Amino acid sequence: MSRFLYYFIFLTMISNIVASVPKVLLFESKTGAIPSMIAAVFIGTAFVYTIVKLFNAFPGKSFPDMLKQNTPKWFAYPVLFYLFLCWFGAGLITLITYVFLFITFFSPETSIVVTTFAFVVVISFGILMKSRSMLYMAEIVLVLFVPIIFFLLIKFYVNPKLDWDFIKISMMHINHVPSYWAFGAALYIFVGIADLVIFNELFTKKHKMGWKQVLIISLSGSAVLFTTFFVPIGYNGVEQIAELTFPWISTSDSIRMKYGLIERVIFIFILSFLGIAFVSLLLHWHVALKLLESIFQFKRLKWKDKMLAPYIFVVIFGIISLVLTKKLTQYQLFSLSNYFFGSLPIFFTVLITSLVIVKRRAKL
């Protein structure tokens, strides 16, 4: 399997250790979060396997091209627009979450509009890049930040402040019925593979998807979910963990590096995850932009032989981001994230069903 497919999966996994996923899981810590995570690992790995296998039948083709060539317009365009909304929503939730995080811990006196505008401007240049350039940028960011994040996570596990008794107590809730919302949140860490809908056109060879690849993905997902859920509990306790707005930020502030240039780990922690989340957001919105371009093709909107439609779409993305970031509260963002995660089983069902239909019609 191409290393870039691992990048898609791992970027989403790592970036959501800090974002909305742990908040949803920890909110359901006493009502079925643990069995939900176990179910998500098996089902999410199965989704990854199925999606890769289906795309292997169409090497070098993007999903919009596959859909347009093999299905009628009344089916293709609604599916593409639905997928666009999902990817745009995923990026929007990530953006707003990290804007709130940045405002809270780094620059509380700065206007939220100014901070959001700065984020959007930087992101806009990124999502307009070529798809191949996006892949190489993702690789560079992973090489830079993953070793730092891995080192910090080791620090969390070996620190004596981590109380394993709290973790053992939380494991007692494994006998609950799985929570649908927690299941959706846990399933989100596997959604990165769906970026193939656009990036598949860059892969002209079939991806190997055997038991080794399945094992790597399932074990990685299990490790990420275990760390995301249990480490904050080990530092903050079982009773009060659901009340924390940013559980992982509070956890990171419990660690000190006595002989480091920066003693408080929280600053290194946030900046490292911000770098990973930034690329994850770029991938989400790059895919959203390409899907939107495949639906609305304004060929007359040109200036010096350059299509203006992508720039107009990016401006619309920015305006929506500014408006929602200004209006939403952290509680509303949590509710919005919860509903979005709850829609993920539908998202995977629509994507896989569409791929199956395309594959069958292509053989006719």
Side-chain angles (χ1 to χ4, degrees):
M1 194 166 79
S2 171
R3 68 185 189 277
F4 292 110
L5 295 193
Y6 289 115
Y7 296 163
F8 294 153
I9 299 170
F10 293 156
L11 275 169
T12 307
M13 283 184 178
I14 297 171
S15 65
N16 283 281
I17 288 178
V18 175
S20 303
V21 169
K23 175 64 177 174
V24 176
L25 292 176
L26 292 169
F27 186 78
E28 302 278 357
S29 60
K30 296 181 180 180
T31 55
I34 296 176
S36 299
M37 290 189 293
I38 295 171
V41 169
F42 286 102
I43 295 174
T45 304
F47 281 156
V48 172
Y49 178 85
T50 305
I51 289 171
V52 173
K53 283 293 186 181
L54 289 170
F55 271 109
N56 274 343
F58 302 91
K61 284 189 176 183
S62 67
F63 183 65
D65 292 337
M66 293 157 51
L67 207 59
K68 290 179 182 179
Q69 292 171 9
N70 297 286
T71 60
K73 291 183 178 180
W74 62 264
F75 178 82
Y77 285 101
V79 169
L80 290 174
F81 189 72
Y82 170 73
L83 295 179
F84 154 73
L85 290 177
C86 291
W87 260 284
F88 178 70
L92 187 63
I93 289 171
T94 303
L95 172 65
I96 298 175
T97 300
Y98 275 90
V99 166
F100 283 168
L101 192 152
F102 190 87
I103 287 288
T104 304
F105 294 98
F106 276 97
S107 186
E109 296 180 359
T110 307
S111 167
I112 194 168
V113 175
V114 173
T115 304
T116 307
F117 181 75
F119 272 62
V120 168
V121 169
V122 176
I123 291 165
S124 298
F125 286 105
I127 62 177
L128 289 167
M129 293 167 60
K130 293 181 179 178
S131 297
R132 190 174 296 277
S133 300
M134 292 285 296
L135 293 181
Y136 294 134
M137 183 183 66
E139 186 170 37
I140 292 170
V141 170
L142 278 170
V143 169
L144 288 174
F145 287 107
V146 166
I148 299 173
I149 291 173
F150 187 70
F151 168 75
L152 293 176
L153 292 178
I154 291 175
K155 291 279 290 182
F156 284 117
Y157 275 108
V158 300
N159 195 288
K161 291 182 180 178
L162 179 65
D163 193 334
W164 286 94
D165 288 335
F166 287 146
I167 296 175
K168 292 175 183 177
I169 292 171
S170 67
M171 287 182 176
M172 299 297 290
H173 297 283
I174 195 172
N175 58 343
H176 288 280
V177 176
S179 163
Y180 180 79
W181 305 108
F183 170 75
L187 189 64
Y188 182 67
I189 69 169
F190 296 97
V191 81
I193 193 62
D195 288 337
L196 269 176
V197 296
I198 295 300
F199 290 100
N200 191 60
E201 64 183 1
L202 302 178
F203 304 117
T204 55
K205 296 180 180 179
K206 292 185 178 182
H207 303 286
K208 183 181 178 181
M209 194 65 182
W211 68 269
K212 290 182 181 179
Q213 289 75 24
V214 169
L215 190 63
I216 290 171
I217 292 168
S218 60
L219 290 178
S220 299
S222 302
V224 167
L225 286 174
F226 183 91
T227 301
T228 302
F229 182 77
F230 287 110
V231 171
I233 290 176
Y235 279 91
N236 300 282
V238 181
E239 299 301 326
Q240 60 186 21
I241 190 65
E243 305 299 324
L244 298 177
T245 305
F246 296 105
W248 262 97
I249 304 305
S250 302
T251 302
S252 66
D253 206 24
S254 304
I255 305 295
R256 296 289 187 274
M257 289 197 298
K258 188 176 180 180
Y259 301 107
L261 294 175
I262 302 175
E263 183 184 9
R264 295 181 69 186
V265 168
I266 183 173
F267 299 112
I268 305 173
F269 186 81
I270 293 176
L271 289 175
S272 300
F273 276 95
L274 189 61
I276 295 290
F278 180 74
V279 177
S280 179
L281 171 56
L282 288 183
L283 288 173
H284 288 326
W285 274 10
H286 180 78
V287 172
L289 180 63
K290 292 298 182 182
L291 288 171
L292 201 57
E293 286 182 46
S294 70
I295 302 170
F296 303 104
Q297 299 175 345
F298 301 108
K299 296 181 179 180
R300 294 183 180 181
L301 288 175
K302 287 186 178 182
W303 184 67
K304 293 184 178 180
D305 294 328
K306 205 165 190 178
M307 296 296 296
L308 295 178
Y311 298 93
I312 295 172
F313 294 149
V314 168
V315 171
I316 295 172
F317 286 7
I319 292 172
I320 294 172
S321 302
L322 287 168
V323 171
L324 287 181
T325 307
K326 187 177 180 180
K327 288 189 174 182
L328 287 177
T329 63
Q330 289 185 353
Y331 175 77
Q332 290 171 329
L333 175 62
F334 171 71
S335 299
L336 182 65
S337 303
N338 215 6
Y339 287 123
F340 174 76
F341 294 145
S343 71
L344 286 179
I346 301 172
F347 164 79
F348 277 111
T349 302
V350 170
L351 177 59
I352 291 173
T353 303
S354 301
L355 284 167
V356 170
I357 292 172
V358 167
K359 186 176 181 180
R360 288 185 175 178
R361 291 182 67 90
K363 290 181 179 179
L364 294 178

